[in-house]
Amino acid sequence: MSSLAPHPYPLSARLRDVRGSAIRDLLTLTARADVLSLAGGLPAADLLPRTRIADATARALAAPGAVQYSETAGVAALREVVAAIESARTGRDIGTGDVVVTSGSQQALDLLARVTLDPGDDVVVEDPAYVGALQVFQAAGAVLHGVPVDTDGMDVDALELLLLGGLRPRLVHTVASFHNPRGVTLSQARRARLCALADRYGFLVVEDDPYGLIAFDGPPPVPIAAHGERVARLGSASKVLAPALRVGWLVAPPEVSAGVERLKQSTDLCGSALTQTVAAELLADTTWFDEHLRSLRTAYRSRARALTAALDDAFGDAVTRSTPTGGMFCWVEFRDGRDTGALLPRAVDHGVAFVPGAAFAVGTPRTSALRCSFAGYPEPVLRGAVLRLAAAAT
């Protein structure tokens, strides 16, 4: 027998630079039946349109093409309906050729980063930031620069100061509508200024928009892309139809979209023609889809108000919190500076879970903050979850 020690399997430096997702790690911890999880960004299981999806799937299976390889850029019917939706929302003439369908918007973000970034390039993200964006940009070898988020979204004044100081980012990433994790929305004035800065300094705005259609009151926010052309929009069916469809999309300047399509060929050749065909039918049925969105908005609005009222009753002035006007998240900060990472194990012992704010941190530690999702449970359960959290915090 050889006495040579086995060599370790070689892993890339790129992997070492990517931190794990605290949210994904929490899924195992919170899988216990006795734990009420406010941690994950999962849409409400009781509101997923299972019957409608089943009917559309049966119809899709009648066409041989639905179980065959498809175009890399996506099934034409889905690209057509996405182009129509994006045209209506942005007020721009979006063509089918401008749309690339991806396996969820996370794949669109990853492909976009690989198309536009070289190791060492500068990228601006919000602070706190969407964890999936941090992972993508770390994997691309980008240098991250955080910009604060307040009640009106990304602090564009702070971004402009960085630009005046010489920073020249390739990308500026924002979850502008119903922010993950802060739950706030970028004002229209700031959206216009952001596009003006993109034109002046030559960066691409990445408008990550999985929640924009889930506005509780009134129409969805007008997208950033309505204010300028240097914008790549990422959309998703996961939050408004079902995550398991794995349908997302990118709409970007032509050379960027072409690059994403070319790189996607080396990633998965094509997405699922079956689930794309299903998504195309559901999104194209505007009468049904509009009513489905109304149901989602009504349910999430009620759940958000139940959660925030329970937080106010249980904690009073001990915390500050966001006031959700759409989306799925509420951001909470303890005024006494307590460490929510240390609080989490006690909370799980009391049967409730959340995501500590440090998971979303870029520059500021965020150790006294936490993110809650109100989407997954009806109102009485949410009130019970907050009581468990309050018991753990005492």
Side-chain angles (χ1 to χ4, degrees), residues 303-361:
R303 293 177 184 194
R305 291 175 179 173
L307 177 74
T308 54
L311 287 169
D312 292 344
D313 290 343
F315 292 98
D317 292 338
V319 303
T320 61
R321 60 161 179 82
S322 62
T323 300
T325 57
M328 300 170 61
F329 303 112
C330 182
W331 182 255
V332 181
E333 297 189 44
F334 284 92
R335 292 182 185 273
D336 63 5
R338 74 179 62 196
D339 186 344
T340 55
L343 174 61
L344 178 60
R346 297 200 301 275
V348 172
D349 287 342
H350 281 76
V352 65
F354 56 82
V355 184
F360 309 97

Side-chain angles (χ1 to χ4, degrees), residues 117 121-125 137 142-146 169-173:
L117 297 176
D121 282 342
D122 294 306
V123 171
V124 170
V125 295
F137 297 137
V143 178
L144 299 182
H145 303 268
R170 288 279 186 93
L171 303 176
V172 173
H173 177 272

Side-chain angles (χ1 to χ4, degrees), residues 207 236 280 295 297 316:
E207 183 179 12
S236 175
S295 297
R297 291 165 177 160

Side-chain angles (χ1 to χ4, degrees), residues 202-226:
F203 58 80
L204 182 70
V205 178
V206 182
E207 183 179 12
D208 210 340
D209 191 22
Y211 312 105
L213 292 176
I214 314 176
F216 295 162
D217 299 292
V222 176
I224 295 172

Side-chain angles (χ1 to χ4, degrees), residues 125-272:
V125 295
E126 292 158 321
D127 188 3
Y130 165 52
V131 171
L134 296 181
Q135 289 185 302
V136 162
F137 297 137
Q138 288 163 352
V143 178
L144 299 182
H145 303 268
V147 171
V149 177
D150 60 26
T151 54
D152 286 324
M154 176 188 283
D155 186 343
V156 180
D157 287 338
L159 171 62
E160 187 169 19
L161 286 176
L162 291 176
L163 298 170
L164 290 170
L167 181 67
R168 294 296 180 267
R170 288 279 186 93
L171 303 176
V172 173
H173 177 272
T174 175
V175 184
S177 298
F178 317 123
H179 188 267
N180 178 9
R182 279 282 277 112
V184 296
T185 293
L186 187 66
S187 68
Q188 289 300 322
R190 290 188 180 184
R191 292 176 190 231
R193 284 191 58 210
L194 182 56
C195 284
L197 291 173
D199 289 338
R200 186 183 311 163
Y201 291 99
F203 58 80
L204 182 70
V205 178
V206 182
E207 183 179 12
D208 210 340
D209 191 22
Y211 312 105
L213 292 176
I214 314 176
F216 295 162
D217 299 292
V222 176
I224 295 172
H227 299 283
E229 296 182 357
R230 299 188 67 88
V231 181
R233 275 183 52 76
L234 310 182
S236 175
S238 293
K239 303 301 189 292
V240 295
L241 292 178
L245 293 176
R246 304 313 304 136
V247 169
W249 52 84
L250 172 140
V251 179
E255 59 270 38
V256 176
S257 293
V260 167
E261 181 179 355
R262 190 191 329 161
L263 201 57
K264 192 175 187 297
Q265 293 172 0
S266 68
T267 300
D268 62 2
L269 296 180
C270 64
S272 167

